[in-house]
Amino acid sequence: MAGDGEILEVVIDHPRLDAAAAPSLRQELASRFEHRPERVILDLSNVQFIDSTGLGVLVSMLKQMGTKGRIVIVGASPAVQRLLHITRLDSLFVQCDSMSAAHDALA
């Protein structure tokens, strides 16, 4: 169970996290977050675009995890990194270049 200290790894396969993709992504993640994991690695390698709705899904994930929840983002494109920086969400989500670095960040 992810809530018992394991790290949950989630690969986002949607190229765009926007108003069109957000409802299905939110539903998909709800089942993965059923056990309230405290540590999540979110692989955004396939994501090229995020809008405010997509950011809302990410923030919602973090809120679902509770006060001890931590999310590390791996593989964010330059555009996604820029958006996280502009919105100051880079202070909530640690960004890493590789899965091994993400695991180290959550150790």
Side-chain angles (χ1 to χ4, degrees), residues 62 70-71 73 81 83-95:
L62 191 58
R70 292 173 38 212
I71 295 177
I73 293 176
Q81 289 176 13
L83 183 61
L84 291 171
H85 178 72
I86 289 169
T87 58
R88 298 187 185 210
L89 290 175
D90 56 352
S91 65
L92 292 178
F93 302 104
V94 174
Q95 296 182 62

Side-chain angles (χ1 to χ4, degrees), residues 60-77:
S60 182
M61 287 171 49
L62 191 58
K63 285 183 178 180
Q64 272 186 285
M65 294 169 68
T67 56
K68 293 183 180 180
R70 292 173 38 212
I71 295 177
V72 173
I73 293 176
V74 173
S77 70

